[in-house]
Amino acid sequence: MTSATGVDSVAFDRSHTDDLIAFLQASPSPFHAVATAAERLEKAGFRQVEETAAWEGTPGGRYLIRGGALIAWYTPQGVAPQTPFRIVGVHTDSPNLRVKPVPDTGAAGWRQVAVEIYGGPLLNSWLDRDLGLSGRLVLRDGSVRLVQLDEPLLRVPQLAIHLDRSVNDSLSLDRQRHLVPIWGLGSVTEGSLISYVAEAAGVEPDEVTGWDLMTHDIQPPSYLGRDRELLAGARLDNLLSLHAAAAALGAVAGTDELPYIPVLAAFDHEETGSESDTGAQGPLLGTVLERSVFSRGGTAEDRARALAGSVCLSSDMGHAVHPNYSERHEPGHHPLPNGGPILKVNVNNRYATNGVGRALFAAACERAGVPWQTFVSNNSVACGTTIGPITAARLGIATVDCGIAALSMHSSRELCGADDPFLLASALKAFLEG
């Protein structure tokens, strides 16, 4: 088939989307997401390295995990120290409700869990949903245990319409008072939540000295629509991009004619500004790239030359035109699901794409046989941003912003085209191959 861009399109492959559904279900937290991505990379021959160990510059695939971040790269045979990098950047976190340090609370005979709002969720989408808990427990000996409770433990109940007749005209949620989930009846008992989670994880409660826990919607992802042409699920922003990038990197690994070193950079904390040791504002990616050069016998000069020739493709979810709110979109740019990846453009550098980046993205899509679209914000609507401008500024490398067109971004359950995940992965693979 031929797309609107004149490109002969690849045949759709729903097996990729089936695998994405499994990936989403296995990845309710950033910690699970990087662990699940690492499993897929292991199957492609990648091996984990420790940051505190010396690195070898020998050919092959390697990755490291730090908290909710993962950096992976493939070194082909015989590459010079100054060989540039081709980087796909994504993020692993999604807006949600996260457990506070003193979680046990309650009122009026109800047992509740104190939560803090993470990122910028659509708050109403978290009402009246069956929620599980996931994240990590840190034990007294410093070890970490991932925990995933896919059971209906929590619920944020909405006030009945009989007690608020104006709710359908103006829903107003107080972030402190109205979003506290219930999880039972009875008096508040200090330590009960962590004890429950610890026992479910198979550890003694008194061994747990730290935790990072969050809620997740336990409804599984699913195809949607008469023709099953849509995909509905939690954390599409931005685990869809992580899944596509891991698939692309795994597919190019083992190719020793690559003119670049392909890299996957999956950062945490994008939804809160990226300012952390695992976020794009931190030094993690730059340090890994530098050590890669040095491990192959390179110098600071080689590092500078490598970065000067490097390119980053920042992949994050974008907005499809909403049929009920089309006036909120730029009239000349209406991305639709299953129209292929979107190139994200903003002249105020909320996205990092410029004319050179547009040409590079178009070339990758053309090589992959993938149609593509362009997203730009309505001038009257504030534009979001991504890790793209951060990466460009921090490392001084050319960066392009792209993604997938979706509805309900930052809802507890988002919606995109069922064919777009495969199209994105195909374009990312072509980009990494150079």
Side-chain angles (χ1 to χ4, degrees), residues 200-255:
V203 299
E204 293 296 325
D206 61 0
E207 288 299 307
V208 178
T209 55
W211 59 84
D212 296 287
L213 298 174
M214 58 204 71
T215 60
H216 66 272
D217 180 10
I218 64 171
Q219 183 180 1
S222 63
Y223 290 101
L224 184 142
R226 185 194 68 177
D227 299 320
R228 290 166 53 86
E229 60 190 333
L230 301 171
L231 174 66
R235 301 176 300 282
L236 294 176
D237 178 18
N238 189 32
L239 296 190
L240 185 155
S241 293
L242 172 58
H243 176 264
L249 180 60
V252 302
T255 304

Side-chain angles (χ1 to χ4, degrees), residues 31 98-104 113-114 133-139 143-145 147 190-195 197-198 205-214:
F31 314 113
R98 301 203 172 187
V99 176
K100 287 184 175 180
V102 181
D104 298 294
V113 175
L133 281 173
S134 61
R136 65 180 178 182
L137 303 175
V138 183
L139 307 187
S143 61
V144 173
R145 185 72 59 90
V147 58
E190 184 178 353
S192 60
L193 178 74
I194 299 304
S195 292
V197 174
D206 61 0
E207 288 299 307
V208 178
T209 55
W211 59 84
D212 296 287
L213 298 174
M214 58 204 71

Side-chain angles (χ1 to χ4, degrees), residues 30-275:
F31 314 113
H32 289 84
V34 298
T36 308
E39 290 177 5
R40 283 159 165 72
L41 292 173
E42 289 270 356
K43 292 178 181 178
F46 285 71
R47 295 294 177 261
Q48 186 172 7
V49 297
E50 300 296 333
E51 291 186 73
T52 55
W55 292 358
E56 297 179 354
T58 52
R62 294 172 176 81
Y63 71 90
L64 65 84
I65 291 176
R66 181 195 287 184
L70 176 146
I71 310 292
W73 63 101
Y74 177 76
T75 305
Q77 289 275 1
V79 293
Q82 69 273 16
T83 301
F85 300 94
R86 279 283 174 108
I87 306 161
V88 175
V90 302
H91 68 87
T92 63
D93 58 322
S94 301
N96 56 18
L97 308 178
R98 301 203 172 187
V99 176
K100 287 184 175 180
V102 181
D104 298 294
T105 188
W110 293 91
R111 300 175 68 187
Q112 296 175 275
V113 175
V115 294
E116 189 171 4
I117 297 168
Y118 179 85
L122 283 170
L123 296 178
N124 64 294
S125 72
W126 288 87
L127 302 178
D128 296 327
R129 286 195 175 274
D130 297 339
L131 304 175
L133 281 173
S134 61
R136 65 180 178 182
L137 303 175
V138 183
L139 307 187
R140 194 175 302 278
D141 62 3
S143 61
V144 173
R145 185 72 59 90
L146 297 188
V147 58
Q148 178 175 348
L149 304 182
D150 289 323
E151 53 185 288
L153 283 177
L154 309 173
R155 185 181 178 92
V156 182
Q158 190 169 194
L159 186 64
I161 193 171
H162 312 80
L163 303 177
D164 183 4
R165 295 292 182 177
S166 66
V167 66
N168 288 327
D169 299 318
S170 58
L171 175 63
S172 179
L173 296 172
D174 184 287
R175 292 168 174 258
Q176 178 66 26
R177 295 186 295 122
H178 297 156
L179 293 165
V180 187
I182 61 172
W183 77 308
L185 296 168
S187 58
V188 177
T189 304
E190 184 178 353
S192 60
L193 178 74
I194 299 304
S195 292
Y196 182 88
V197 174
E199 290 170 3
V203 299
E204 293 296 325
D206 61 0
E207 288 299 307
V208 178
T209 55
W211 59 84
D212 296 287
L213 298 174
M214 58 204 71
T215 60
H216 66 272
D217 180 10
I218 64 171
Q219 183 180 1
S222 63
Y223 290 101
L224 184 142
R226 185 194 68 177
D227 299 320
R228 290 166 53 86
E229 60 190 333
L230 301 171
L231 174 66
R235 301 176 300 282
L236 294 176
D237 178 18
N238 189 32
L239 296 190
L240 185 155
S241 293
L242 172 58
H243 176 264
L249 180 60
V252 302
T255 304
D256 287 326
E257 294 76 26
L258 294 174
Y260 305 97
I261 296 175
V263 179
L264 164 58
F267 298 106
D268 200 353
H269 303 129
E270 188 272 347
E271 299 292 358
T272 58
S274 298
E275 292 184 338

